[in-house]
Amino acid sequence: MEVINKFLTALKRVAIVMLVLTAAAMLVVVVNGAIHFPYDVDAPLTHQEPEAAQKYYTQAYKIPAIESQAKSQYETEYIHVAEAAAKLFQIEEQVTAFVKEFNLSERPVLEIGSGRGYLQDIAQNYTGLDISPSVANFYHKKFVLGSATAMPFADDSFAGVWSIWVFEHVPNPEQAFYEARRVARDKGLLFLLPAWNCSSWAAEGYAVRPYSDFGLAGKLIKASIPLRSSPIFGAITHVPIRIVRTYVARYGPTRLRYRRLSPNYEKYWVPDSDAVNSIDSHEAMLWFLSRGDECLNCEDMSVFLPMTSMPLIFRVHKSAG
């Protein structure tokens, strides 16, 4: 009997320890989710915000006045990094496949945030839209100067719309989603590839600068990056939020929730140093689905891991939304 009592006592202690550990783990998940919850939504902008963005991208895409002149800092950093990333992620191949699969080659298509227009020959009836007037000379197809949040096109203008690494740079991304949907035709196709889940530490280049560049707080931020970039941390952070947001989306069109970031318009340390927001792909998916649109590749998404380089492809259903 004494042996049995000792065994039961030990079993109770193990059970108590397990309950305490489980409670602690749940508390960590809840607190981490609360800290990283996307509290921000679109808000009125100051006059300086869109003005600063336009000035930055105008400078970023400028051509040196004389070819033999040394290229500007923007030329050597911003353009070089963008071109290298486009090759790495096979952007031209992805968009070409999208145009071919949905028979968009001869139908009117729009690229939002078209930059220098390196995708303009993928479709015949192409229009590029960008806020930078300095890119106009790169186009032999239609180019329109304008903002993603107030596009100068009539409703239902395009059979297909795509946008690559743009919405993370738009101060009011939900308005840009509205606009993309507005200018697309009913049953039109959207190919959207922002840089999902941009990091808050990109602006100051914590990942690439040495520890000696930072004070104590900066050193702690830099030391935390391997953990905060890990798949496990990403799952702990995103899954609870996605569950809550999925539940909310059942009751009608959702607001787009995201985290605002402070862009660095002085030094382009790494890709998305100039990002103004961080959007989760799952949140973007819910925004369109809750308006009756159809996601054509969402089955490829994992609820457990944040995405960084996978597009979302939607078929717009305006009568439903």
Side-chain angles (χ1 to χ4, degrees), residues 186-249:
D186 187 39
K187 296 184 173 59
L189 285 306
L190 305 179
F191 180 104
L192 305 180
L193 179 53
W196 308 112
N197 301 111
C198 293
S199 65
S200 59
W201 56 84
E204 296 306 319
Y206 284 104
V208 297
R209 294 168 66 186
Y211 278 94
S212 57
D213 278 6
F214 305 106
L216 177 59
K219 286 180 170 64
L220 291 174
I221 293 172
K222 182 174 175 63
S224 73
I225 290 175
L227 172 63
R228 294 162 70 186
S229 301
S230 68
I232 293 176
F233 188 87
I236 292 173
T237 299
H238 288 86
V239 171
I241 297 171
R242 289 176 172 183
I243 291 172
V244 170
R245 296 296 294 154
T246 299
Y247 179 79
V248 171

Side-chain angles (χ1 to χ4, degrees), residues 76-274:
T76 57
E77 294 179 1
Y78 186 88
I79 301 300
H80 174 73
V81 170
E83 289 178 349
K87 290 180 181 178
L88 177 64
F89 292 105
Q90 299 183 307
I91 295 302
E92 185 173 355
E93 291 82 354
Q94 288 194 65
V95 178
T96 299
F98 166 72
V99 169
K100 183 177 180 180
E101 180 178 357
F102 297 105
N103 300 313
L104 296 171
S105 180
E106 298 181 4
R107 303 172 70 191
V109 297
L110 170 69
E111 181 177 8
I112 301 171
S114 51
R116 293 189 175 198
Y118 80 104
L119 298 176
Q120 62 186 300
D121 290 321
I122 288 178
Q124 295 181 33
N125 192 355
Y126 169 96
T127 299
L129 174 104
D130 203 273
I131 63 169
S132 171
S134 62
V135 300
N137 290 336
F138 290 98
Y139 289 81
H140 54 268
K141 291 191 175 177
K142 186 177 181 180
F143 168 74
V144 175
L145 181 67
S147 167
T149 58
M151 291 192 277
F153 305 114
D155 295 356
D156 311 316
S157 293
F158 300 98
V161 177
W162 70 73
S163 182
I164 312 296
W165 300 329
V166 171
F167 292 110
E168 70 274 18
H169 305 295
V170 177
N172 276 351
E174 182 175 21
Q175 180 60 31
F177 280 4
Y178 275 119
E179 282 290 278
R181 205 171 174 274
R182 178 185 68 79
V183 301
R185 296 173 179 173
D186 187 39
K187 296 184 173 59
L189 285 306
L190 305 179
F191 180 104
L192 305 180
L193 179 53
W196 308 112
N197 301 111
C198 293
S199 65
S200 59
W201 56 84
E204 296 306 319
Y206 284 104
V208 297
R209 294 168 66 186
Y211 278 94
S212 57
D213 278 6
F214 305 106
L216 177 59
K219 286 180 170 64
L220 291 174
I221 293 172
K222 182 174 175 63
S224 73
I225 290 175
L227 172 63
R228 294 162 70 186
S229 301
S230 68
I232 293 176
F233 188 87
I236 292 173
T237 299
H238 288 86
V239 171
I241 297 171
R242 289 176 172 183
I243 291 172
V244 170
R245 296 296 294 154
T246 299
Y247 179 79
V248 171
R250 293 178 180 178
Y251 296 94
T254 66
R255 292 294 310 271
L256 181 71
R257 292 192 166 273
Y258 50 89
R259 290 186 299 116
R260 284 200 181 88
L261 304 176
S262 297
N264 188 338
Y265 289 151
E266 301 298 325
K267 177 70 174 177
Y268 195 70
W269 291 106
V270 294
D272 303 317
S273 291
D274 53 347

Side-chain angles (χ1 to χ4, degrees), residues 177-178 180-182 184-190 192 253 284-296 298 313-321:
F177 280 4
Y178 275 119
R181 205 171 174 274
R182 178 185 68 79
R185 296 173 179 173
D186 187 39
K187 296 184 173 59
L189 285 306
L190 305 179
L192 305 180
M285 176 194 73
L286 292 176
W287 192 89
F288 285 95
L289 292 182
S290 68
R291 284 160 176 78
D293 298 331
E294 176 186 2
C295 183
L296 303 181
C298 288
I313 301 175
F314 297 101
R315 178 176 282 114
V316 174
H317 292 285
K318 293 194 170 182
S319 57

